[in-house]
Amino acid sequence: MQKQGNIRKMRTDLKEIVEYQLPIGEDVVQMNPLVGKKLSFTYLGQINCIHCGKKTKTSFSQGYCYSCFTTLPQTDESILRPELDLSYLGISRDMEWAEKNALQPHFVYLAYSGNLKVGVTRESQVPTRWMDQGASKAIKLAKTPNRHIAGIIEVALKDHFSDKTNWRAMLKLEHSEDVDLLSEKKKAGGLLHPELQQYISDEDEVFEMIYPMSSQPEKIVSFGFEKEKEYSGILKGIKGQYLIFEDGKVLNIRKHNGYLIEFSVED
């Protein structure tokens, strides 16, 4: 198999084992069957903005040119800090986009991805967000009518729960069986101000994600196409947006949104 094109973050589907597809140009490659096979990547020295398609020397916010990065609502600071979203006041880079995205129901969630973390995602992004982060378990903590309120709840819990994923711990994922998310949800709910407790979700299902991994990596070394333009290795697993190879090297696909590559699989 040989493909050439700009890559995008892998698509996921929650099945018994998470299913991955890698968009390359106009093609979509089924990745799960490639675990155990030798993959080769060649970076062709070109990045195209994932929004406008323009060539860019530097990728901003995982795939955008500078112009799009500074003007699009999906690259606004409130994406990383939802408490700063002001679209509920009619303030946004693009109110039409905000109405379809920020002014929609959001979940505050707890997830275990190498560490216990609190996060925010749009209702329509459940469970995609969790799989993108490589979470092994997740539970809905609160449901809010917009992104801003979800962000306020997240901020209120940051002193008690991390809001970031430790990607190295996520890839090794030890001690996940020791985490009781239902108990942690009750703890988190009790920490909230009474005005915020009204948003606590009555959905107590603990979602569990199993990833296509033939073995856990003993050592982890991340690499990128800027420094390593060619790479070949046997794929041992996929987790989050990472490809994990036999030699311990890992490639963050999402970080390389818009990169033009040649991709091949050794039969």
Side-chain angles (χ1 to χ4, degrees):
M1 179 198 301
Q2 289 188 324
K3 304 287 183 183
Q4 179 177 315
N6 297 91
I7 57 174
R8 298 288 294 268
K9 86 176 187 77
M10 289 182 285
R11 301 171 187 171
T12 54
D13 193 7
L14 182 56
K15 298 289 183 67
E16 184 176 348
I17 296 177
V18 175
E19 291 187 357
Y20 282 92
Q21 302 87 36
L22 173 63
I24 303 178
E26 299 299 318
D27 297 316
V28 177
V29 176
Q30 301 297 322
M31 295 300 293
N32 289 44
L34 302 185
V35 174
K37 296 189 176 182
K38 186 175 183 180
L39 312 185
S40 295
F41 297 86
T42 301
Y43 171 47
L44 300 179
Q46 179 176 314
I47 307 171
N48 293 87
C49 175
I50 61 174
H51 180 77
C52 71
K54 183 174 68 176
K55 291 182 182 179
T56 176
K57 290 183 178 179
T58 303
S59 172
F60 296 88
S61 191
Q62 298 179 329
Y64 297 90
C65 66
Y66 185 72
S67 176
C68 287
F69 170 66
T70 55
T71 58
L72 291 176
Q74 54 264 50
T75 56
D76 186 76
E77 186 180 10
S78 62
I79 298 302
L80 293 178
R81 299 181 61 191
E83 73 275 11
L84 299 181
D85 183 88
L86 299 178
S87 57
Y88 72 104
L89 296 176
I91 301 171
S92 174
R93 288 181 175 182
D94 184 334
M95 278 306 300
E96 183 177 353
W97 184 92
E99 287 170 2
K100 295 177 180 178
N101 295 275
L103 298 178
Q104 294 294 321
H106 277 64
F107 279 110
V108 183
Y109 62 85
L110 296 176
Y112 187 80
S113 50
N115 60 310
L116 184 62
K117 72 178 294 289
V118 61
V120 168
T121 192
R122 195 166 67 250
E123 181 178 26
S124 61
Q125 289 300 298
V126 171
T128 300
R129 178 64 172 162
W130 302 332
M131 293 184 286
D132 281 350
Q133 292 182 336
S136 60
K137 298 179 180 180
I139 192 171
K140 298 172 182 175
L141 170 61
K143 185 176 182 179
T144 66
N146 59 51
R147 186 169 182 81
H148 173 75
I149 297 175
I152 294 298
I153 293 175
E154 182 185 41
V155 168
L157 295 172
K158 281 184 180 180
D159 287 340
H160 308 278
F161 300 92
S162 172
D163 64 331
K164 294 180 174 59
T165 297
N166 181 329
W167 66 270
R168 290 182 182 274
M170 177 272 291
L171 291 176
K172 291 186 175 181
L173 196 59
E174 299 173 343
H175 310 302
S176 63
E177 68 278 359
D178 298 334
V179 179
D180 183 344
L181 286 187
L182 188 55
S183 174
E184 294 292 344
K185 175 179 177 176
K186 292 177 180 177
K187 172 186 171 183
L191 295 169
L192 294 175
H193 187 280
E195 289 187 12
L196 296 177
Q197 288 179 346
Q198 64 178 304
Y199 299 108
I200 293 175
S201 171
D202 58 6
E203 297 182 58
D204 288 337
E205 178 184 359
V206 175
F207 293 78
E208 297 195 21
M209 281 68 69
I210 300 174
Y211 297 89
M213 304 273 291
S214 62
S215 62
Q216 293 284 352
E218 294 183 6
K219 61 176 183 176
I220 297 173
V221 180
S222 66
F223 75 96
F225 291 138
E226 295 292 348
K227 293 184 177 180
E228 200 160 344
K229 291 181 167 43
E230 295 185 5
Y231 175 78
S232 294
I234 296 175
L235 183 66
K236 299 300 288 184
I238 313 171
K239 195 170 195 182
Q241 284 291 322
Y242 287 86
L243 300 181
I244 305 161
F245 295 93
E246 188 176 48
D247 60 2
K249 288 191 174 181
V250 297
L251 175 65
N252 184 343
I253 293 294
R254 187 166 195 168
K255 182 180 178 181
H256 294 89
N257 263 335
Y259 280 60
L260 182 63
I261 67 162
E262 286 183 350
F263 171 79
S264 63
V265 179
E266 189 174 296
D267 295 327

